Amino acid sequence: MTVQRDIILKEAAMGRFLRDNGLSIALGLLFLGSLAGMILAGWHQDIDEALRDGAPLPTLGGYIVSAGFVSALFENWESEFLQMGVYVVLTAMLFQRGSAESRDPDDPGRGNDQPGPGIGGWLYAHSLGLALGALFILSFVLHLLGSWRDFLEEAMREGEAPQTMWQYLGSSRMWFESMQNWQSEFLSTGVLVLLSIILRQVGSPESKPVQAPDAQTGG
């Protein structure tokens, strides 16, 4: 009976854990599945290009540390962290009446939302925006390094003059890679802010309640 009871308690604890952390688990699995798909698809694309060019076939490990993969991976991470960081900061300062994503401009205050004393209190009160900003900077630097290495490899193959990293930082190629992702992130965020005024998703904290009026601001 004791063994059976322990099994039941463990199953109940596991059920509570999955319920309480289901969103993070689902997003983590989707991330890992998408990352694996990106790696395999990109690797096979490089294999196809090598076959056409008569070049040595890349290994999976070699592809994962290649300049092209590093650039593509962190190019996307960079834009995501930028979008989230900017969104967190802007929603703390600006309003959109009627949106589930905004505080109410007529009643912007929130309970338990005051910074603690000293520099430690200020840092904790702004820690989410600071962390996202740091992740953006790290991703931007890694994107820059990967893209620069990729450019140097292309320049070497084609007999073109190389550039220093600082020269490449000012190149149109580098900023096109970044801006093509930044614009889509800001567009999708703005669309969510505006659509949440008039549309609903039952059960989602990103939506107002189904019967709430369009003028209601905040979830």
Side-chain angles (χ1 to χ4, degrees), residues 65-168:
V65 297
S66 68
F69 175 74
V70 170
S71 174
L73 179 68
F74 290 104
E75 175 186 330
N76 284 280
W77 288 20
E78 162 199 316
S79 64
E80 296 294 339
F81 289 127
L82 174 66
Q83 176 261 333
M84 288 189 291
V86 169
Y87 189 55
V88 165
V89 173
L90 287 183
T91 52
M93 300 185 299
L94 303 176
F95 307 99
Q96 176 56 59
R97 184 174 297 279
S99 176
E101 299 292 311
S102 170
R103 292 176 298 144
D104 189 340
D106 296 327
D107 186 20
R110 302 192 306 173
N112 299 319
D113 204 27
Q114 295 75 35
I119 187 65
W122 185 91
L123 288 172
Y124 181 69
H126 298 86
S127 55
L128 179 58
L130 292 172
L132 292 171
L135 288 169
F136 161 71
I137 292 171
L138 176 62
S139 299
F140 182 86
V141 170
L142 292 172
H143 166 214
L144 171 62
L145 291 173
S147 186
W148 177 51
R149 282 177 49 211
D150 194 37
F151 167 77
L152 291 179
E153 292 172 4
E154 291 181 12
M156 185 179 300
R157 289 194 302 267
E158 298 174 8
E160 297 179 355
Q163 294 180 344
T164 66
M165 186 181 68
W166 296 112
Q167 288 174 323
Y168 185 74

